[in-house]
Amino acid sequence: MNENTVNTINTEIAVLGAGPAGLAAAMSAKNNGAHVILIERENRLGGILKQCIHDGFGLVRYNEKLTGPEYALRDIKTIKSLNVPAFVNTFVLEVEKKENSFVLYCINEKGAYQIEAQALILATGCRERTDRQIFLHGERPAGIYTAGLAQHFVNIDGYLPGKEIVIIGSGDIGLIMARRLTLEGAHIVGVYEVKPEPSGLQRNIAQCLNDFSIPLHLSCTVKTVHGKNRIEGVTVVNVDESGKEIKGSEKYITCDCLILSVGLIPENEIAQSLNVSIDPDTKGPYVDQNMHTLVDGIFACGNSVHVHDLVDYVSESGTIAGESAVRWIRNKRKRNLIKFSHDNSVLYHIPQFVDFKSNNKIALYFRSKKTYSNTCSVNLIEKNSKTCLKKFKILRPSEMEKIVFDAQLQDNQNLMLQIEENYGNY
Ligand SMILES: Cc1cc2nc3c(=O)[nH]c(=O)nc-3n(C[C@H](O)[C@H](O)[C@H](O)COP(=O)(O)OP(=O)(O)OC[C@H]3O[C@@H](n4cnc5c(N)ncnc54)[C@H](O)[C@@H]3O)c2cc1C
């Protein structure tokens, strides 16, 4: 290949990102008879799973407890056996929408590519929130890392980021890193969570903190970072119910490393450059039940749509996106979209739109806005009727729930999701 020429490739479907979502999307598109290309900016397929060497992956899909790399390897083997071309180390510079296709301008060490596809599947995952987004005061010395970066250091590069470590935020990656760093010989001073409840899964609180006697401090946060070249300590402070600092509760803690586990945000620069509408609640594209965004021909799946707790549901959304993209390029039917909203009892839900002439079996994913511990029902409000989709004994914002239901849809009808507290009538 001449490095000065642009290589033109035509395909039916281009999948952007080769984490579990992109791998599942490419497999299902290929299995449904389409020509597919997979594009990944890193040098290996598998996405974030490559660095998640703990187990707990695949419980729903395989009924097995796999590590991240084991889970990814199953899909990578299938992708190879299906002969799906995978471009790794490939960076997408720009995507242009044409009348009936998309043109991806890409570059890798072999040269420049112009890939034309009839449909695009975005499976670009999410990125971590950093210190800039949490108003952390004080210096910015060495020794402050996001939890995912610390995980990369330990599990891929073989470096220990510190020995006396404070973790800010109780997201799942931080909890998993608290255990991982302890096993590698570091001392975790504590996990400090500003909210009154942990934001990670209950099973991670039990297995990663309680089992290792790592203290979790709720309604408490890191106020200031100290140190010039290397971090030397932090000041932590308690907060009241409204999140305001409680004067006089400040405490200095000596540490050589601060790890941030303060949330993830879907990565959607490419979606936005193509005018894909983004849901302010999820920070990912609005999608219908087929993972089709509001731009015809652009599908999205996995953590680029909303942040998942379980990889199994990430793969499931990729499978739906892959088969839907094939169906769409085969008949290009105009969609009839109905808005599916929620009231303020729900933090967010997917899908936010329903194509009422399409598949009526809807896989609904949602998180509650607050913890409901008195049993509650999740209701679907249509025109004048309310249907209870499912009752729950407990609902927590940290745990994504799934309900599959058959919608009897009519044109011009809006749907709304609502959580109603039943106070014991389970
Ligand atoms: C620390 C941690 C622990 C977890 N633990 C568990 C667990 O125990 N059990 C469980 O079931 N789940 C767990 N999860 C969740 C699960 O791993 C993730 O939800 C899942 O990996 C997300 O898959 P994805 O394909 O959407 O994104 P990712 O895995 O992030 O993949 C996205 C891919 O897209 C690529 N990409 C992004 N932008 C571009 C671009 N412009 N061009 C080309 N490529 C691009 C990225 O390089 C990446 O490879 C964990 C997640 C983390 C981070």
Side-chain angles (χ1 to χ4, degrees), residues 16-22 39-42 46-50 52 54-58 90 92 123-126 151 173 176 203 267 270 301-304 308-312 314:
L16 211 52
I39 301 163
E40 169 57 53
R41 68 181 171 195
E42 293 192 346
I48 200 75
L49 295 180
K50 298 193 291 289
C52 299
H54 59 281
D55 68 4
F57 296 83
T90 302
V92 178
T124 47
C126 58
Q151 188 178 51
I173 318 177
I176 283 158
R203 81 164 193 227
E267 185 154 336
I270 288 176
C301 51
N303 276 2
S304 69
H308 293 66
D309 325 321
L310 294 185
V311 72
D312 312 68
V314 165

Side-chain angles (χ1 to χ4, degrees), residues 195-260:
K195 290 194 224 118
E197 285 181 55
S199 47
L201 294 173
Q202 289 297 310
R203 81 164 193 227
N204 285 334
I205 301 286
Q207 295 171 5
C208 302
L209 299 189
N210 300 349
D211 287 358
F212 291 84
S213 306
I214 297 169
L216 169 64
H217 304 272
L218 297 171
S219 300
C220 189
T221 189
V222 173
K223 182 182 173 178
T224 316
V225 171
H226 306 278
K228 260 271 174 270
N229 297 321
R230 177 88 199 180
I231 184 168
E232 288 164 8
V234 292
T235 299
V236 295
V237 66
N238 294 329
V239 299
D240 63 19
E241 287 120 50
S242 62
K244 257 179 68 186
E245 290 174 12
I246 301 174
K247 282 224 164 75
S249 66
E250 291 88 353
K251 207 168 124 196
Y252 182 87
I253 294 172
T254 304
C255 65
D256 62 6
C257 179
L258 175 66
I259 289 179
L260 292 109

